[in-house]
Amino acid sequence: MNHAQKLTCSMLSKAPKLQTGLHNVIVHKSAPLAVSTLRYRTIVSGKISRVSYSTDRSNGLETKNTAASKASRRFVLPDTYASIARRILSRFLPRYQGPAIGRAVYGACSSYPDFKEFWVEECRLPETFQTWFSTTSFYVWMAMVRVRADPNAKHYNQGIVDSFFQDAEQKIRASGIKSGRIVNDTLKDLVSSFKGTVMSLDEGFARSDAALAAAIWRNLLPVDDTVLQIDAIVSYTRAQLQILDSYDISMVTAGQFDFGPICINKH
């Protein structure tokens, strides 16, 4: 036996063996760790052959390269099918945008500045939940009038109303009412009241200042000696709706507007 054969037999006897059926696979530990492959020696029919297998490091690199190549070969929908998909999805998109737009618009409506200064002090209304609901309905109605110009106003206005009544329900529960039945009955009454207010204000706005003043008196100011206040609200309503009309509809649906104060002309 020559020197090379002795060296080979010595290495085979010292190396740990992994049984793989018909072959004895021996890990060659002399390969450096910095190299991207581990070398294995496989004994097949008494002959020694070298086989290289990729390590985890090279597998990671190969995986990254494969992902990058797949990303570069992304499937792009043809223009014809893309336009059809957009038309189909556009029918359902406003329905899902409605709640978010409703919250944004109602956020602008609920932050009106005149509740205590004008409605309570000037108009002598009691500072109660019912007063808050009536006056907030007035501002919500003005926002809904402007949003009606949008083709998707049905979904957006529904979102505004939902946000309004969610806020009303929170205020009812915060007042100490815990009974779900009482809360539901109160909300039903408020829904009927809100519908009547909207219809009355719509009719008054479309007809004349006198009809609008009568609607405001019935729904907002059922108090005697409030002629000056009602006249101020009528003028404010038409001026504010004109201002809202000057805003782009995208700004309105994003809640990027506000309501100014109501001024009384006492001269």
Side-chain angles (χ1 to χ4, degrees):
M1 182 180 294
N2 57 26
H3 180 70
Q5 291 175 338
K6 290 181 180 180
L7 181 60
T8 302
C9 292
S10 175
M11 292 177 62
L12 294 177
S13 62
K14 293 180 181 180
K17 296 184 178 181
L18 302 176
Q19 297 298 326
T20 59
L22 298 177
H23 303 89
N24 292 324
V25 182
I26 301 171
V27 179
H28 180 47
K29 296 184 177 180
S30 62
L33 295 178
V35 181
S36 62
T37 59
L38 287 176
R39 301 181 184 277
Y40 295 88
R41 290 188 176 186
T42 308
I43 302 177
V44 182
S45 302
K47 297 182 180 180
I48 301 176
S49 61
R50 292 179 179 269
V51 182
S52 298
Y53 296 92
S54 299
T55 61
D56 291 339
R57 184 181 304 175
S58 63
N59 279 336
L61 181 61
E62 182 181 357
T63 303
K64 291 180 181 178
N65 292 335
T66 304
S69 62
K70 288 181 178 179
S72 64
R73 298 194 304 270
R74 285 186 307 177
F75 176 74
V76 179
L77 196 66
D79 293 339
T80 304
Y81 296 108
S83 61
I84 295 174
R86 281 193 295 268
R87 285 199 300 269
I88 294 174
L89 293 176
S90 63
R91 299 179 182 179
F92 301 97
L93 186 60
R95 182 179 302 176
Y96 294 101
Q97 289 178 329
I101 290 176
R103 286 190 296 269
V105 176
Y106 176 70
C109 296
S110 61
S111 60
Y112 60 92
D114 289 324
F115 178 70
K116 201 163 187 180
E117 293 80 2
F118 178 79
W119 298 101
V120 174
E121 295 178 0
E122 288 288 341
C123 299
R124 302 189 304 277
L125 292 174
E127 192 174 354
T128 60
F129 171 81
Q130 185 60 46
T131 300
W132 169 84
F133 183 82
S134 299
T135 54
T136 306
S137 299
F138 170 65
Y139 292 95
V140 168
W141 167 74
M142 285 194 288
M144 291 173 63
V145 171
R146 178 62 184 94
V147 173
R148 285 173 191 167
D150 192 275
N152 302 308
K154 175 183 177 181
H155 302 291
Y156 298 163
N157 279 338
Q158 185 61 53
I160 298 171
V161 174
D162 290 343
S163 298
F164 179 29
F165 278 90
Q166 288 171 7
D167 191 16
E169 182 179 358
Q170 291 177 1
K171 290 183 182 298
I172 292 172
R173 295 186 182 276
S175 66
I177 299 176
K178 304 300 182 182
S179 173
R181 182 179 62 82
I182 296 176
V183 172
N184 290 335
D185 291 343
T186 304
L187 289 174
K188 289 179 182 178
D189 294 338
L190 293 176
V191 168
S192 299
S193 175
F194 178 74
K195 288 182 178 178
T197 299
V198 169
M199 292 178 63
S200 181
L201 292 173
D202 279 342
E203 182 182 5
F205 178 68
R207 290 178 60 186
S208 62
D209 287 350
L212 182 58
I216 291 170
W217 178 75
R218 288 194 306 268
N219 296 278
L220 302 177
L221 285 178
V223 182
D224 295 333
D225 300 328
T226 55
V227 177
L228 293 178
Q229 290 85 344
I230 292 176
D231 181 67
I233 296 171
V234 170
S235 301
Y236 173 81
T237 301
R238 297 198 178 276
Q240 194 64 45
L241 285 173
Q242 188 174 3
I243 292 172
L244 286 176
D245 189 59
S246 66
Y247 284 102
D248 187 78
I249 190 63
S250 61
M251 296 181 63
V252 177
T253 54
Q256 297 176 355
F257 66 94
D258 54 10
F259 292 101
I262 303 175
C263 300
I264 299 177
N265 187 9
K266 297 184 178 180
H267 298 288

PDB file of all heavy atoms in Angstrom, residues 145-170:
ATOM      1  N   VAL A 145     -76.591  68.875   2.365  1.00  0.00           N
ATOM      2  CA  VAL A 145     -77.022  69.597   1.166  1.00  0.00           C
ATOM      3  C   VAL A 145     -75.865  69.749   0.193  1.00  0.00           C
ATOM      4  O   VAL A 145     -76.016  69.570  -1.028  1.00  0.00           O
ATOM      5  CB  VAL A 145     -77.623  70.961   1.545  1.00  0.00           C
ATOM      6  CG1 VAL A 145     -77.859  71.811   0.298  1.00  0.00           C
ATOM      7  CG2 VAL A 145     -78.938  70.774   2.296  1.00  0.00           C
ATOM      8  N   ARG A 146     -74.688  70.062   0.700  1.00  0.00           N
ATOM      9  CA  ARG A 146     -73.521  70.232  -0.174  1.00  0.00           C
ATOM     10  C   ARG A 146     -73.053  68.889  -0.745  1.00  0.00           C
ATOM     11  O   ARG A 146     -72.682  68.796  -1.919  1.00  0.00           O
ATOM     12  CB  ARG A 146     -72.366  70.882   0.603  1.00  0.00           C
ATOM     13  CG  ARG A 146     -71.085  71.063  -0.228  1.00  0.00           C
ATOM     14  CD  ARG A 146     -71.335  71.979  -1.390  1.00  0.00           C
ATOM     15  NE  ARG A 146     -70.180  72.109  -2.262  1.00  0.00           N
ATOM     16  CZ  ARG A 146     -69.978  71.371  -3.345  1.00  0.00           C
ATOM     17  NH1 ARG A 146     -70.858  70.425  -3.685  1.00  0.00           N
ATOM     18  NH2 ARG A 146     -68.924  71.566  -4.103  1.00  0.00           N
ATOM     19  N   VAL A 147     -73.082  67.845   0.065  1.00  0.00           N
ATOM     20  CA  VAL A 147     -72.604  66.543  -0.385  1.00  0.00           C
ATOM     21  C   VAL A 147     -73.530  65.942  -1.439  1.00  0.00           C
ATOM     22  O   VAL A 147     -73.112  65.109  -2.248  1.00  0.00           O
ATOM     23  CB  VAL A 147     -72.447  65.592   0.823  1.00  0.00           C
ATOM     24  CG1 VAL A 147     -72.103  64.170   0.388  1.00  0.00           C
ATOM     25  CG2 VAL A 147     -71.366  66.108   1.763  1.00  0.00           C
ATOM     26  N   ARG A 148     -74.784  66.383  -1.482  1.00  0.00           N
ATOM     27  CA  ARG A 148     -75.717  65.851  -2.474  1.00  0.00           C
ATOM     28  C   ARG A 148     -75.261  66.096  -3.908  1.00  0.00           C
ATOM     29  O   ARG A 148     -75.734  65.432  -4.838  1.00  0.00           O
ATOM     30  CB  ARG A 148     -77.095  66.486  -2.280  1.00  0.00           C
ATOM     31  CG  ARG A 148     -77.850  65.959  -1.079  1.00  0.00           C
ATOM     32  CD  ARG A 148     -79.118  66.753  -0.856  1.00  0.00           C
ATOM     33  NE  ARG A 148     -79.744  66.441   0.420  1.00  0.00           N
ATOM     34  CZ  ARG A 148     -80.715  67.167   0.964  1.00  0.00           C
ATOM     35  NH1 ARG A 148     -81.168  68.259   0.336  1.00  0.00           N
ATOM     36  NH2 ARG A 148     -81.229  66.817   2.128  1.00  0.00           N
ATOM     37  N   ALA A 149     -74.372  67.039  -4.104  1.00  0.00           N
ATOM     38  CA  ALA A 149     -73.869  67.301  -5.459  1.00  0.00           C
ATOM     39  C   ALA A 149     -72.949  66.191  -5.957  1.00  0.00           C
ATOM     40  O   ALA A 149     -72.671  66.110  -7.160  1.00  0.00           O
ATOM     41  CB  ALA A 149     -73.132  68.638  -5.490  1.00  0.00           C
ATOM     42  N   ASP A 150     -72.459  65.342  -5.054  1.00  0.00           N
ATOM     43  CA  ASP A 150     -71.577  64.247  -5.455  1.00  0.00           C
ATOM     44  C   ASP A 150     -72.404  63.072  -5.978  1.00  0.00           C
ATOM     45  O   ASP A 150     -73.473  62.770  -5.441  1.00  0.00           O
ATOM     46  CB  ASP A 150     -70.731  63.801  -4.262  1.00  0.00           C
ATOM     47  CG  ASP A 150     -69.608  62.870  -4.670  1.00  0.00           C
ATOM     48  OD1 ASP A 150     -69.865  61.657  -4.762  1.00  0.00           O
ATOM     49  OD2 ASP A 150     -68.483  63.359  -4.881  1.00  0.00           O
ATOM     50  N   PRO A 151     -71.931  62.386  -7.024  1.00  0.00           N
ATOM     51  CA  PRO A 151     -72.688  61.240  -7.539  1.00  0.00           C
ATOM     52  C   PRO A 151     -72.889  60.123  -6.518  1.00  0.00           C
ATOM     53  O   PRO A 151     -73.840  59.350  -6.609  1.00  0.00           O
ATOM     54  CB  PRO A 151     -71.837  60.761  -8.730  1.00  0.00           C
ATOM     55  CG  PRO A 151     -71.014  61.944  -9.117  1.00  0.00           C
ATOM     56  CD  PRO A 151     -70.759  62.702  -7.865  1.00  0.00           C
ATOM     57  N   ASN A 152     -71.980  60.040  -5.558  1.00  0.00           N
ATOM     58  CA  ASN A 152     -72.066  59.000  -4.528  1.00  0.00           C
ATOM     59  C   ASN A 152     -72.627  59.540  -3.218  1.00  0.00           C
ATOM     60  O   ASN A 152     -72.324  59.019  -2.144  1.00  0.00           O
ATOM     61  CB  ASN A 152     -70.688  58.388  -4.280  1.00  0.00           C
ATOM     62  CG  ASN A 152     -70.083  57.807  -5.541  1.00  0.00           C
ATOM     63  OD1 ASN A 152     -70.717  57.019  -6.236  1.00  0.00           O
ATOM     64  ND2 ASN A 152     -68.862  58.202  -5.854  1.00  0.00           N
ATOM     65  N   ALA A 153     -73.464  60.558  -3.310  1.00  0.00           N
ATOM     66  CA  ALA A 153     -73.985  61.219  -2.106  1.00  0.00           C
ATOM     67  C   ALA A 153     -74.791  60.263  -1.234  1.00  0.00           C
ATOM     68  O   ALA A 153     -74.827  60.430  -0.004  1.00  0.00           O
ATOM     69  CB  ALA A 153     -74.838  62.413  -2.507  1.00  0.00           C
ATOM     70  N   LYS A 154     -75.431  59.272  -1.840  1.00  0.00           N
ATOM     71  CA  LYS A 154     -76.248  58.345  -1.053  1.00  0.00           C
ATOM     72  C   LYS A 154     -75.412  57.658   0.019  1.00  0.00           C
ATOM     73  O   LYS A 154     -75.813  57.581   1.193  1.00  0.00           O
ATOM     74  CB  LYS A 154     -76.881  57.309  -1.987  1.00  0.00           C
ATOM     75  CG  LYS A 154     -77.643  56.221  -1.269  1.00  0.00           C
ATOM     76  CD  LYS A 154     -78.182  55.205  -2.262  1.00  0.00           C
ATOM     77  CE  LYS A 154     -78.888  54.046  -1.539  1.00  0.00           C
ATOM     78  NZ  LYS A 154     -79.397  53.036  -2.493  1.00  0.00           N
ATOM     79  N   HIS A 155     -74.245  57.157  -0.351  1.00  0.00           N
ATOM     80  CA  HIS A 155     -73.388  56.448   0.598  1.00  0.00           C
ATOM     81  C   HIS A 155     -72.722  57.422   1.568  1.00  0.00           C
ATOM     82  O   HIS A 155     -72.579  57.118   2.758  1.00  0.00           O
ATOM     83  CB  HIS A 155     -72.336  55.649  -0.154  1.00  0.00           C
ATOM     84  CG  HIS A 155     -72.905  54.658  -1.122  1.00  0.00           C
ATOM     85  ND1 HIS A 155     -73.585  53.528  -0.722  1.00  0.00           N
ATOM     86  CD2 HIS A 155     -72.923  54.648  -2.482  1.00  0.00           C
ATOM     87  CE1 HIS A 155     -73.980  52.838  -1.783  1.00  0.00           C
ATOM     88  NE2 HIS A 155     -73.591  53.499  -2.864  1.00  0.00           N
ATOM     89  N   TYR A 156     -72.311  58.591   1.067  1.00  0.00           N
ATOM     90  CA  TYR A 156     -71.613  59.548   1.919  1.00  0.00           C
ATOM     91  C   TYR A 156     -72.540  60.139   2.967  1.00  0.00           C
ATOM     92  O   TYR A 156     -72.183  60.252   4.151  1.00  0.00           O
ATOM     93  CB  TYR A 156     -71.003  60.662   1.063  1.00  0.00           C
ATOM     94  CG  TYR A 156     -69.975  60.178   0.063  1.00  0.00           C
ATOM     95  CD1 TYR A 156     -69.582  60.978  -1.014  1.00  0.00           C
ATOM     96  CD2 TYR A 156     -69.407  58.916   0.175  1.00  0.00           C
ATOM     97  CE1 TYR A 156     -68.644  60.526  -1.932  1.00  0.00           C
ATOM     98  CE2 TYR A 156     -68.468  58.465  -0.738  1.00  0.00           C
ATOM     99  CZ  TYR A 156     -68.095  59.281  -1.788  1.00  0.00           C
ATOM    100  OH  TYR A 156     -67.160  58.836  -2.697  1.00  0.00           O
ATOM    101  N   ASN A 157     -73.754  60.513   2.561  1.00  0.00           N
ATOM    102  CA  ASN A 157     -74.697  61.072   3.527  1.00  0.00           C
ATOM    103  C   ASN A 157     -75.130  60.034   4.558  1.00  0.00           C
ATOM    104  O   ASN A 157     -75.378  60.362   5.721  1.00  0.00           O
ATOM    105  CB  ASN A 157     -75.921  61.641   2.805  1.00  0.00           C
ATOM    106  CG  ASN A 157     -75.666  63.026   2.248  1.00  0.00           C
ATOM    107  OD1 ASN A 157     -74.774  63.730   2.700  1.00  0.00           O
ATOM    108  ND2 ASN A 157     -76.444  63.441   1.267  1.00  0.00           N
ATOM    109  N   GLN A 158     -75.209  58.789   4.125  1.00  0.00           N
ATOM    110  CA  GLN A 158     -75.523  57.736   5.094  1.00  0.00           C
ATOM    111  C   GLN A 158     -74.401  57.620   6.122  1.00  0.00           C
ATOM    112  O   GLN A 158     -74.665  57.404   7.317  1.00  0.00           O
ATOM    113  CB  GLN A 158     -75.712  56.402   4.371  1.00  0.00           C
ATOM    114  CG  GLN A 158     -76.155  55.264   5.286  1.00  0.00           C
ATOM    115  CD  GLN A 158     -77.492  55.547   5.934  1.00  0.00           C
ATOM    116  OE1 GLN A 158     -78.475  55.851   5.259  1.00  0.00           O
ATOM    117  NE2 GLN A 158     -77.544  55.455   7.265  1.00  0.00           N
ATOM    118  N   GLY A 159     -73.169  57.768   5.681  1.00  0.00           N
ATOM    119  CA  GLY A 159     -72.052  57.749   6.622  1.00  0.00           C
ATOM    120  C   GLY A 159     -72.097  58.920   7.593  1.00  0.00           C
ATOM    121  O   GLY A 159     -71.755  58.775   8.777  1.00  0.00           O
ATOM    122  N   ILE A 160     -72.512  60.098   7.117  1.00  0.00           N
ATOM    123  CA  ILE A 160     -72.633  61.264   7.996  1.00  0.00           C
ATOM    124  C   ILE A 160     -73.697  61.020   9.066  1.00  0.00           C
ATOM    125  O   ILE A 160     -73.488  61.271  10.266  1.00  0.00           O
ATOM    126  CB  ILE A 160     -72.973  62.523   7.173  1.00  0.00           C
ATOM    127  CG1 ILE A 160     -71.854  62.835   6.176  1.00  0.00           C
ATOM    128  CG2 ILE A 160     -73.204  63.715   8.093  1.00  0.00           C
ATOM    129  CD1 ILE A 160     -72.213  63.926   5.188  1.00  0.00           C
ATOM    130  N   VAL A 161     -74.839  60.515   8.640  1.00  0.00           N
ATOM    131  CA  VAL A 161     -75.935  60.246   9.581  1.00  0.00           C
ATOM    132  C   VAL A 161     -75.535  59.174  10.594  1.00  0.00           C
ATOM    133  O   VAL A 161     -75.822  59.287  11.798  1.00  0.00           O
ATOM    134  CB  VAL A 161     -77.208  59.838   8.816  1.00  0.00           C
ATOM    135  CG1 VAL A 161     -78.305  59.418   9.782  1.00  0.00           C
ATOM    136  CG2 VAL A 161     -77.686  60.991   7.948  1.00  0.00           C
ATOM    137  N   ASP A 162     -74.857  58.136  10.125  1.00  0.00           N
ATOM    138  CA  ASP A 162     -74.415  57.082  11.047  1.00  0.00           C
ATOM    139  C   ASP A 162     -73.463  57.636  12.103  1.00  0.00           C
ATOM    140  O   ASP A 162     -73.583  57.298  13.297  1.00  0.00           O
ATOM    141  CB  ASP A 162     -73.729  55.960  10.269  1.00  0.00           C
ATOM    142  CG  ASP A 162     -74.710  55.166   9.414  1.00  0.00           C
ATOM    143  OD1 ASP A 162     -75.932  55.265   9.662  1.00  0.00           O
ATOM    144  OD2 ASP A 162     -74.250  54.457   8.491  1.00  0.00           O
ATOM    145  N   SER A 163     -72.529  58.474  11.692  1.00  0.00           N
ATOM    146  CA  SER A 163     -71.596  59.065  12.651  1.00  0.00           C
ATOM    147  C   SER A 163     -72.325  59.967  13.641  1.00  0.00           C
ATOM    148  O   SER A 163     -71.996  59.992  14.838  1.00  0.00           O
ATOM    149  CB  SER A 163     -70.523  59.867  11.906  1.00  0.00           C
ATOM    150  OG  SER A 163     -69.766  59.032  11.057  1.00  0.00           O
ATOM    151  N   PHE A 164     -73.305  60.706  13.146  1.00  0.00           N
ATOM    152  CA  PHE A 164     -74.094  61.593  14.001  1.00  0.00           C
ATOM    153  C   PHE A 164     -74.813  60.794  15.090  1.00  0.00           C
ATOM    154  O   PHE A 164     -74.763  61.132  16.281  1.00  0.00           O
ATOM    155  CB  PHE A 164     -75.081  62.369  13.131  1.00  0.00           C
ATOM    156  CG  PHE A 164     -75.983  63.305  13.887  1.00  0.00           C
ATOM    157  CD1 PHE A 164     -75.590  63.894  15.078  1.00  0.00           C
ATOM    158  CD2 PHE A 164     -77.240  63.613  13.385  1.00  0.00           C
ATOM    159  CE1 PHE A 164     -76.426  64.773  15.773  1.00  0.00           C
ATOM    160  CE2 PHE A 164     -78.085  64.473  14.053  1.00  0.00           C
ATOM    161  CZ  PHE A 164     -77.679  65.045  15.258  1.00  0.00           C
ATOM    162  N   PHE A 165     -75.463  59.722  14.707  1.00  0.00           N
ATOM    163  CA  PHE A 165     -76.226  58.943  15.686  1.00  0.00           C
ATOM    164  C   PHE A 165     -75.332  58.087  16.582  1.00  0.00           C
ATOM    165  O   PHE A 165     -75.708  57.772  17.711  1.00  0.00           O
ATOM    166  CB  PHE A 165     -77.273  58.101  14.973  1.00  0.00           C
ATOM    167  CG  PHE A 165     -78.509  58.874  14.633  1.00  0.00           C
ATOM    168  CD1 PHE A 165     -78.624  59.545  13.424  1.00  0.00           C
ATOM    169  CD2 PHE A 165     -79.547  58.981  15.542  1.00  0.00           C
ATOM    170  CE1 PHE A 165     -79.756  60.279  13.119  1.00  0.00           C
ATOM    171  CE2 PHE A 165     -80.683  59.714  15.257  1.00  0.00           C
ATOM    172  CZ  PHE A 165     -80.796  60.377  14.037  1.00  0.00           C
ATOM    173  N   GLN A 166     -74.157  57.722  16.112  1.00  0.00           N
ATOM    174  CA  GLN A 166     -73.209  57.074  17.004  1.00  0.00           C
ATOM    175  C   GLN A 166     -72.767  58.027  18.106  1.00  0.00           C
ATOM    176  O   GLN A 166     -72.650  57.629  19.280  1.00  0.00           O
ATOM    177  CB  GLN A 166     -72.007  56.585  16.208  1.00  0.00           C
ATOM    178  CG  GLN A 166     -72.295  55.375  15.333  1.00  0.00           C
ATOM    179  CD  GLN A 166     -71.148  55.055  14.399  1.00  0.00           C
ATOM    180  OE1 GLN A 166     -70.063  55.657  14.471  1.00  0.00           O
ATOM    181  NE2 GLN A 166     -71.364  54.105  13.492  1.00  0.00           N
ATOM    182  N   ASP A 167     -72.542  59.285  17.743  1.00  0.00           N
ATOM    183  CA  ASP A 167     -72.195  60.291  18.742  1.00  0.00           C
ATOM    184  C   ASP A 167     -73.356  60.524  19.704  1.00  0.00           C
ATOM    185  O   ASP A 167     -73.173  60.658  20.917  1.00  0.00           O
ATOM    186  CB  ASP A 167     -71.805  61.592  18.043  1.00  0.00           C
ATOM    187  CG  ASP A 167     -71.172  62.596  18.990  1.00  0.00           C
ATOM    188  OD1 ASP A 167     -70.756  62.204  20.089  1.00  0.00           O
ATOM    189  OD2 ASP A 167     -71.087  63.793  18.619  1.00  0.00           O
ATOM    190  N   ALA A 168     -74.577  60.567  19.154  1.00  0.00           N
ATOM    191  CA  ALA A 168     -75.754  60.754  20.005  1.00  0.00           C
ATOM    192  C   ALA A 168     -75.913  59.595  20.986  1.00  0.00           C
ATOM    193  O   ALA A 168     -76.221  59.798  22.172  1.00  0.00           O
ATOM    194  CB  ALA A 168     -77.001  60.899  19.141  1.00  0.00           C
ATOM    195  N   GLU A 169     -75.697  58.380  20.518  1.00  0.00           N
ATOM    196  CA  GLU A 169     -75.809  57.225  21.407  1.00  0.00           C
ATOM    197  C   GLU A 169     -74.771  57.281  22.524  1.00  0.00           C
ATOM    198  O   GLU A 169     -75.067  56.962  23.686  1.00  0.00           O
ATOM    199  CB  GLU A 169     -75.646  55.933  20.607  1.00  0.00           C
ATOM    200  CG  GLU A 169     -75.788  54.681  21.457  1.00  0.00           C
ATOM    201  CD  GLU A 169     -75.646  53.408  20.644  1.00  0.00           C
ATOM    202  OE1 GLU A 169     -75.480  53.512  19.413  1.00  0.00           O
ATOM    203  OE2 GLU A 169     -75.705  52.314  21.243  1.00  0.00           O
ATOM    204  N   GLN A 170     -73.555  57.690  22.196  1.00  0.00           N
ATOM    205  CA  GLN A 170     -72.526  57.818  23.227  1.00  0.00           C
ATOM    206  C   GLN A 170     -72.903  58.854  24.278  1.00  0.00           C
ATOM    207  O   GLN A 170     -72.690  58.649  25.484  1.00  0.00           O
ATOM    208  CB  GLN A 170     -71.188  58.178  22.578  1.00  0.00           C
ATOM    209  CG  GLN A 170     -70.587  57.055  21.751  1.00  0.00           C
ATOM    210  CD  GLN A 170     -69.299  57.468  21.064  1.00  0.00           C
ATOM    211  OE1 GLN A 170     -68.832  58.606  21.219  1.00  0.00           O
ATOM    212  NE2 GLN A 170     -68.712  56.552  20.310  1.00  0.00           N
TER     213      GLN A 170
END
